[in-house]
Amino acid sequence: MKRITDVPYWSLDSSEALDQVQSSTDGLSSKEAATRLTAYGENVIKPKKRLSQVALFLNQFKNPIILILIFATSISAVTGDWFDAQIILLIVMGSALLSFYQEYSAGQAIEKLRSKVQITCSVKRDGKFSAISSQFVVPGDIVQLSGGNMIPADGRILESDDLYVNQSLLTGESMSVQKIAGVVSEDSEVGERQNCVFMGTSVFSGHAIELVMGTGTATHYGRIAEQLTLRPPETDFERGI
């Protein structure tokens, strides 16, 4: 399925943007929203797949230093030096168990925090605004924004009243920037799109109505998150080991 965000929606006027997502200023019906939720998925940045406890423990033995120590243990055992072999094995197992406990505890703490933190937003469904969890926002939704709100998804401004947004997470700008309804050039950069707001940023002041164009991993924030989960290139030190 072609993502809506592949289309330069910032260069479309309000009516064309609404047509692009097959929506209207009255928002979506609950039935249509449910259909789109199935098609596009929940509005979340998928966390890295969690390992089972056994896999997490075995993962501790991938460290090159641990592998060297295991090799040394084998040599000591083969040469009959059982005392040294036992000492090294105890060190290896102690290190692995400690690393496993720390990593497992950190993972549990993150999951507990994630379950407690729920961002809600005001979305127009069936012709009226109501508060829903941001994970259920879909392309085509009409979202009401006001000071202090986290922006739940990428979209464009349909109406604004003295709206200022802090988008330093994406652009590095230290000051909040004004957002207004209108049209900008198709080849404009993210920081130049005055008619757009983005997931992960927040409303500093003012009010606005947003038309959601992209959710989850189809947002700018989602693309950055995906890139961060890619395996980093091997360093010279790792290659030397």
Side-chain angles (χ1 to χ4, degrees):
M1 178 182 295
K2 185 177 181 180
R3 300 188 299 188
I4 295 171
T5 47
D6 290 335
V7 177
Y9 56 86
W10 51 90
S11 65
L12 306 176
D13 61 33
S14 297
S15 60
E16 290 173 330
L18 286 164
D19 289 341
Q20 185 66 44
V21 289
Q22 298 178 355
S23 184
S24 71
T25 53
D26 290 329
L28 302 173
S29 66
S30 297
K31 182 179 180 181
E32 176 61 21
T35 300
R36 295 191 184 198
L37 186 65
T38 301
Y40 293 100
E42 292 187 349
N43 180 35
V44 293
I45 307 301
K46 294 181 181 178
K48 186 177 180 180
K49 187 178 180 181
R50 293 195 63 196
L51 299 174
S52 66
Q53 293 184 27
V54 174
L56 185 62
F57 177 71
L58 294 176
N59 206 39
Q60 309 306 316
F61 294 93
K62 291 182 179 180
N63 188 304
I65 303 300
I66 296 296
L67 294 175
I68 291 172
L69 289 174
I70 292 175
F71 182 67
T73 303
S74 303
I75 292 176
S76 296
V78 169
T79 57
D81 196 345
W82 291 103
F83 180 77
D84 282 353
Q86 291 174 10
I87 293 297
I88 298 173
L89 187 60
L90 283 174
I91 293 173
V92 170
M93 292 303 297
S95 175
L97 286 170
L98 180 60
S99 297
F100 165 76
Y101 173 75
Q102 291 176 332
E103 193 170 340
Y104 180 75
S105 298
Q108 290 293 98
I110 290 172
E111 286 302 314
K112 189 176 293 185
L113 283 172
R114 183 179 286 119
S115 66
K116 289 182 178 180
V117 177
Q118 292 266 344
I119 299 175
T120 60
C121 54
S122 181
V123 177
K124 200 171 191 179
R125 296 273 175 89
D126 300 315
K128 61 181 181 180
F129 283 102
S130 58
I132 68 170
S133 173
S134 62
Q135 74 185 78
F136 300 125
V137 170
V138 296
D141 266 331
I142 301 295
V143 178
Q144 193 173 47
L145 302 174
S146 58
N149 288 162
M150 290 294 293
I151 293 170
D154 286 8
R156 59 161 297 144
I157 300 298
L158 297 180
E159 303 172 19
S160 65
D161 179 18
D162 201 28
L163 180 71
Y164 284 83
V165 173
N166 180 347
Q167 55 184 27
S168 57
L169 179 72
L170 294 178
T171 63
E173 297 167 291
S174 58
M175 303 292 291
S176 56
V177 295
Q178 186 175 21
K179 297 290 184 175
I180 57 175
V183 176
V184 298
S185 172
E186 181 177 332
D187 57 359
S188 59
E189 298 295 331
V190 172
E192 299 171 338
R193 298 171 192 169
Q194 286 185 298
N195 63 346
C196 295
V197 288
F198 306 99
M199 173 193 270
T201 63
S202 59
V203 178
F204 180 75
S205 64
H207 303 272
I209 299 296
E210 173 196 2
L211 170 64
V212 174
M213 303 298 292
T215 58
T217 54
T219 62
H220 284 282
Y221 185 74
R223 291 191 186 104
I224 292 172
E226 280 189 326
Q227 290 174 356
L228 291 176
T229 60
L230 296 176
R231 180 178 175 83
E234 186 180 42
T235 65
D236 290 339
F237 176 76
E238 290 174 330
R239 194 176 299 111
I241 291 294

